Amino acid sequence: MYNTNQKRVAAIHDISCFGKCSLTVALPIISSVGIECSVIPTAILSTHTGGFSGYTFRDLTDDILPIANHWKKEGIEVDAVYTGYLGSKEQVSIVMEAANIIKKDGGMTVVDPVMADHGKLYGGFPEDFPKEMRKLCEVADIITPNITEAVLMLGMEFKQPPHSKEYVEKIIEELSKMTSAKIVLTGVCFDGENIGAATYENGKTEYVFEKKVDAAYHGTGDVFTSCLLSAVLNGKDLKEAAQIACEFTAACIKYTKENEPNMKYGVDFEGRTPLLLKKLGL
C-alpha cells in the first residue's frame, strides 16, 4: 500500500480543456496548498459551455468505476472525494459507488452540486436532474450548493437577490433535514452590496461576506469550493474555511476584472495564489 503523510483528494469533475473551471481549477488550487489532487474525469470538453459554441464533448462515464477499482487494487485511498459537474443522471450513482471504493475510513465526501444558477438549470440537464443530485448530497459530509441549486433540490421557490434572512435560513433548515452534511450555501446576498455564504454546522448558521464585484465569471464556484476544501484539510473550521474561500474568490474576481474584460475566460486565480497561501498560513 502507498504510504504518505500528505493529504490526498480525488477530484471527480469534467475537464474543460480551455476555460478555467472544474478540474483545471480544482487540481492547481488544491495542489498549490500542499495537498495531492488526483483526478477521475467524468467527461472531456474542448472548452466550457458558457460563451463558447461548437465545443467537443466526450463522455467518460464508462471509465469512472474502472479507475476507482484500479486504485483499490493498487491500495490507493483518499482523504476526501470532491465532486463537481456531472454530465448525466447516470453518473450520480456511479460517482457514489466510486467514492465508497476509494475513500479511506474516516474520509470525507465534498459535493458541489454544479447544475444551475440564476434560477434555472444549466443547458443540457433534464428537469429531474436535481432529484438525482440530491441523492449525492444526502450522503455527503460537506455540500456547497448555490441558492438556485438548493431550491431546485428542495422543490422550493427561487427568489432573486437581495434575499431576506428568513428565506436563506429556511433553505438552510430544509437542507439540514435533507442531509446530515455540513452546509455552505453560496450566493447569499442581503443588501445588494455584499455577497457571500451561509455556513451550517452543529445546528448553528453563520455568515461570511465580501463586497460584490460587478462581474460574473465562469468557474468561480469551482474556485470557492476548491479553496474551502483546501482550508478544511489544512485544519480550518467550516466558517473560517468559508471566509478564506470567500475572500480569495472575491480577490480573484476583482483582479481579473481589472485585467481581463472578457468574462468567458474565467478568473485569474493563478495570479492570486500567494494570497491563498498566506491566508492558510503556508
Side-chain angles (χ1 to χ4, degrees):
M1 183 176 178
Y2 179 57
N3 293 313
T4 177
N5 292 322
Q6 186 181 29
K7 295 287 180 67
R8 183 188 294 130
V9 170
I12 307 180
H13 302 241
D14 71 281
I15 298 175
S16 293
C17 296
F18 183 85
K20 302 174 188 180
C21 64
S22 55
L23 282 182
T24 57
V25 166
L27 199 161
I29 287 179
I30 293 169
S31 297
S32 74
V33 302
I35 298 166
E36 179 181 349
C37 187
S38 302
V39 303
I40 299 181
T42 59
I44 299 178
L45 295 82
S46 54
T47 67
H48 65 66
T49 60
F52 295 99
S53 60
Y55 52 84
T56 67
F57 179 92
R58 183 175 295 275
D59 186 281
L60 297 178
T61 301
D62 291 342
D63 295 287
I64 296 172
L65 286 178
I67 292 171
N69 284 320
H70 181 227
W71 287 10
K72 182 178 182 180
K73 179 182 175 182
E74 295 295 328
I76 298 168
E77 296 179 319
V78 301
D79 298 280
V81 172
Y82 166 28
T83 74
Y85 182 97
L86 302 180
S88 67
K89 292 190 297 182
E90 292 72 24
Q91 285 189 351
V92 173
S93 60
I94 291 171
V95 166
M96 290 168 66
E97 185 177 351
N100 289 331
I101 291 170
I102 62 178
K103 188 172 60 174
K104 65 173 56 174
D105 289 343
M108 71 174 74
T109 299
V110 178
V111 175
D112 184 4
V114 181
M115 59 180 167
D117 206 355
H118 306 297
K120 60 183 180 180
L121 284 169
Y122 294 144
F125 284 126
E127 289 299 314
D128 60 348
F129 190 81
K131 292 182 181 179
E132 292 300 312
M133 186 61 81
R134 173 177 172 140
K135 295 176 184 177
L136 187 54
C137 288
E138 287 174 350
V139 299
D141 297 288
I142 300 175
I143 62 172
T144 63
N146 62 32
I147 295 282
T148 300
E149 291 156 350
V151 299
L152 287 175
M153 288 192 292
L154 295 168
M156 291 178 62
E157 176 189 2
F158 172 76
K159 296 181 180 180
Q160 295 286 351
H163 310 111
S164 69
K165 192 173 183 180
E166 291 74 19
Y167 177 64
V168 170
E169 296 194 352
K170 180 62 175 177
I171 294 173
I172 291 285
E173 178 186 351
E174 294 303 314
L175 286 173
S176 72
K177 295 176 183 177
M178 180 189 89
T179 179
S180 60
K182 299 175 183 179
I183 298 164
V184 182
L185 181 67
T186 65
V188 175
C189 178
F190 290 146
D191 57 13
E193 296 182 3
N194 301 283
I195 190 166
T199 66
Y200 179 84
E201 183 179 15
N202 298 324
K204 185 178 182 181
T205 300
E206 298 182 279
Y207 296 94
V208 296
F209 291 103
E210 282 291 306
K211 285 290 183 182
K212 189 174 183 179
V213 181
D214 186 21
Y217 292 95
H218 294 281
T220 52
D222 299 311
V223 171
F224 180 92
T225 303
S226 298
C227 290
L228 179 90
L229 175 57
S230 297
V232 168
L233 288 177
N234 272 287
K236 306 300 183 184
D237 64 32
L238 189 66
K239 183 185 178 184
E240 189 176 8
Q243 184 67 61
I244 290 169
C246 190
E247 291 174 359
F248 181 72
T249 305
C252 291
I253 294 171
K254 182 178 179 182
Y255 179 80
T256 306
K257 185 180 180 184
E258 293 169 352
N259 294 280
E260 175 52 72
N262 195 325
M263 296 185 185
K264 72 180 182 181
Y265 294 134
V267 292
D268 183 356
F269 65 87
E270 299 94 336
R272 302 290 89 192
T273 299
L275 175 63
L276 176 60
L277 298 179
K278 181 178 180 181
K279 289 183 178 296
L280 291 175
L282 300 174

